[in-house]
Amino acid sequence: MEPEVQRVRNAFLSGRSRPLRFRLQQLEALRRMVLEREKDILAAIASDLCKSEFNAYSQEVVTILGEIDLVLEKLPEWVTAEPAKKNLLTMLDEAYVQPEPLGVVLIIGAWNYPLVLTIQPLIGAIAAGNAVILKPSELSENTAKILAKLLPQYLDKDLYVVVNGGVEETTELLKQRFDYILYTGSTAVGKIVMTAAAKHLTPVTLELGGKSPCYIDKDCDLDVACRRITWGKYLNCGQTCIAPDYVLCEPSLQNQIVQKIKETVKEFYGENVKESPDYERIINLRHFKRILSLLKGQKIAFGGETDEATRYIAPTVLTDVDPETKVMQEEIFGPILPIVPVKNADEAIKFINEREKPLAIYVFSNNNKLIKRMIDSTSSGGVTVNDVIMHFMLSSLPFGGVGSSGMGAYHGKYSFDTFSHQRPCLLKTLKREGANKLRYPPNSQSKVDWTKFFLLKRFSKGKFGLLLLAFLGIVAAVLVKAGYY
């Protein structure tokens, strides 16, 4: 792996990834790849996750195209240096913040949305002017292969490289020095990635997961709430990092929620869910068996049917779930929805805060005061109120975790910022040396007093404030020139 990483680093050091025009050309080429090879990409995703072309397009391709279009429009603005505020001592100098690329970035993708969770961060890395080594998940084998085949046909072969393989290859990659690592996956592997990165002091963004709670208040439209929860929970067969992991509600709501979700499942997927083209399968047998183990000893309100040969697990709801059981100790990442009864919102808040910070929190209520209290009294990567998952779709919102659900964020401008170093620049002349007497030895009380004035004094932004600032600058210059220190 070392020669491969060095080859990419040499390409970055050549400087060709930095010009704005080059970045735009690469992003346009990436967009062309998605459009021209759409059928191949959709077929690969379908093979990995038993996903219909309609679902693959709406869940992955649309997001990628939207992100590229946004970056193509906004990138000229994002790369522009931003002027910095100055004080009296620097009022005649030039000060600005210039975004610059970090260098060689490693992106480790995930299998559950193998296109969007690999290519979306790549878009941000290219936009910021970096070179990239892309490591798709080996579990979504067909998508990994098609990316390795297509990307070199459209992008610069030396700057953007796909490395395929399993644990061994990823382990070797992590031994190399990168300038940034973005990883999407489990908390357990996230710790391994962070440990490896620490050896080189490499900064990381970790997009992990966790158990995202969904609180349903008695003051809400249950029909609408259950439709949206059903969609978000069983989307991609529950294999979504921000899927509602479990429901918290008052005991009196439990049976109603079960019935309404059951009716919605029938509406979405028909009488025979197994035959629905809109219902996916578990990625592999290991995950299938892991999810089945979570059902042991649980009260199944509906669902629970399985077929190992096709890795099918029916949409399932569990009721009266004991918080100490296995299903409540790990992220489910499958089509099982536990309902945990709580007395009220205060108990729900306490329940959430006693556990690791989740990637998302969902609240369904018409009570604005309760909604605000739920948001203010908890912590999570993101929040969506009266819906689920949709905050992921808004590029103007950062997407990322907090605590054990991750660190850092990306999407839209936040991706550009994640893969950029905000470089402070102060440009002075070799003239006006007299003003520097304030900071040169020997020191004195008079110098300290003037320094405090120049550095700590604040003025209003009105005309009077600006005039006073200009006047004081002139006075200071005269005093310095006269040597009154």
Side-chain angles (χ1 to χ4, degrees), residues 181-199:
I181 299 175
L182 185 145
Y183 165 77
T184 304
S186 70
T187 301
V189 178
K191 292 177 180 179
I192 295 171
V193 171
M194 194 170 181
T195 300
K199 293 178 181 178

Side-chain angles (χ1 to χ4, degrees), residues 64-79:
I64 294 301
L65 292 176
E67 185 86 349
I68 294 174
D69 287 346
L70 172 70
V71 177
L72 287 173
E73 177 190 351
K74 296 292 186 178
L75 190 55
E77 173 188 331
W78 295 347
V79 301

Side-chain angles (χ1 to χ4, degrees), residues 282-300:
I282 302 303
I283 184 70
N284 59 29
L285 195 58
R286 179 172 67 86
H287 280 286
F288 176 86
K289 290 181 176 180
R290 178 190 62 80
I291 295 166
L292 281 194
S293 72
L294 303 179
L295 294 174
K296 291 179 181 178
Q298 297 295 336
K299 181 180 176 182
I300 298 176

Side-chain angles (χ1 to χ4, degrees), residues 15-224:
R16 68 175 182 270
S17 67
R18 288 175 173 263
L20 173 61
R21 184 178 178 184
F22 179 86
R23 305 183 201 187
L24 294 174
Q25 288 173 343
Q26 295 299 299
L27 291 169
E28 287 166 352
L30 187 60
R31 187 178 190 277
R32 196 167 64 251
M33 181 195 85
V34 175
L35 292 173
E36 292 176 357
R37 307 306 294 267
E38 177 187 304
K39 291 294 182 183
D40 297 328
I41 294 169
L42 294 178
I45 296 171
S47 298
D48 289 326
L49 289 156
C50 299
K51 192 187 291 282
S52 72
E53 287 195 4
F54 293 135
N55 285 352
Y57 188 88
S58 60
Q59 294 170 17
E60 303 217 41
V61 174
V62 163
T63 301
I64 294 301
L65 292 176
E67 185 86 349
I68 294 174
D69 287 346
L70 172 70
V71 177
L72 287 173
E73 177 190 351
K74 296 292 186 178
L75 190 55
E77 173 188 331
W78 295 347
V79 301
T80 303
E82 183 177 345
K85 291 183 179 179
K86 295 177 283 189
N87 55 30
L88 277 171
L89 288 178
T90 57
M91 60 185 301
L92 298 178
D93 302 323
E94 184 180 359
Y96 59 87
V97 178
Q98 177 68 62
E100 68 169 8
L102 293 170
V104 179
V105 171
L106 173 63
I107 296 173
I108 305 176
W111 55 262
N112 55 325
Y113 292 92
L115 181 71
V116 74
L117 294 180
T118 305
I119 299 301
Q120 194 163 9
L122 172 64
I123 294 167
I126 293 173
N130 297 283
V132 182
I133 289 185
L134 206 62
K135 172 60 183 68
S137 172
E138 69 276 14
L139 298 186
S140 47
E141 181 181 5
N142 295 290
T143 308
K145 286 179 178 178
I146 199 68
L147 289 177
K149 177 184 176 182
L150 295 182
L151 282 171
Q153 296 177 22
Y154 288 84
L155 300 184
D156 187 298
K157 296 180 179 65
D158 297 318
L159 283 167
Y160 315 111
V161 173
V162 178
V163 173
N164 275 330
V167 174
E168 183 180 346
E169 287 77 9
T170 305
T171 301
E172 285 301 311
L173 267 178
L174 288 172
K175 290 178 181 178
Q176 311 307 314
R177 183 176 71 82
F178 291 94
D179 298 294
Y180 203 92
I181 299 175
L182 185 145
Y183 165 77
T184 304
S186 70
T187 301
V189 178
K191 292 177 180 179
I192 295 171
V193 171
M194 194 170 181
T195 300
K199 293 178 181 178
H200 301 287
L201 294 180
T202 299
V204 297
T205 286
L206 302 178
E207 296 293 345
L208 308 178
K211 298 183 74 64
S212 297
C214 179
Y215 177 69
I216 304 178
D217 183 33
K218 59 186 176 182
D219 180 14
C220 81
D221 187 328
L222 270 185
D223 289 313
V224 173

Side-chain angles (χ1 to χ4, degrees), residues 268-410:
F268 285 179
Y269 305 112
E271 290 282 356
N272 188 349
V273 179
K274 194 175 181 182
E275 299 300 321
S276 171
D278 292 309
Y279 192 74
E280 287 81 22
R281 297 295 184 267
I282 302 303
I283 184 70
N284 59 29
L285 195 58
R286 179 172 67 86
H287 280 286
F288 176 86
K289 290 181 176 180
R290 178 190 62 80
I291 295 166
L292 281 194
S293 72
L294 303 179
L295 294 174
K296 291 179 181 178
Q298 297 295 336
K299 181 180 176 182
I300 298 176
F302 82 86
E305 299 84 11
T306 66
D307 178 12
E308 183 173 313
T310 60
R311 306 186 308 281
Y312 166 79
I313 299 178
T316 301
V317 175
L318 310 177
T319 52
D320 297 313
V321 175
D322 182 349
E324 301 305 316
T325 54
K326 186 178 179 182
V327 75
M328 291 300 295
Q329 301 306 310
E330 63 180 70
E331 183 179 6
I332 295 169
F333 223 65
I336 298 172
L337 182 64
I339 300 179
V340 180
V342 291
K343 293 178 182 177
N344 50 40
D346 289 331
E347 188 171 310
I349 291 170
K350 184 174 182 291
F351 188 94
I352 293 167
N353 288 337
E354 287 174 344
R355 286 154 179 79
E356 296 286 0
K357 294 179 180 181
L359 190 53
I361 287 178
Y362 303 114
V363 183
F364 285 85
S365 178
N366 291 319
N367 186 331
N368 289 332
K369 288 184 178 179
L370 181 144
I371 291 168
K372 188 176 188 306
R373 181 151 55 93
M374 291 289 293
I375 294 174
D376 292 346
S377 302
T378 60
S379 178
S380 63
V383 178
T384 292
V385 174
N386 290 324
D387 209 338
V388 296
I389 294 178
M390 294 306 293
H391 63 287
F392 179 91
M393 307 302 295
L394 194 55
S395 290
S396 56
L397 291 176
F399 178 75
V402 60
S404 68
S405 62
M407 61 182 68
Y410 71 116

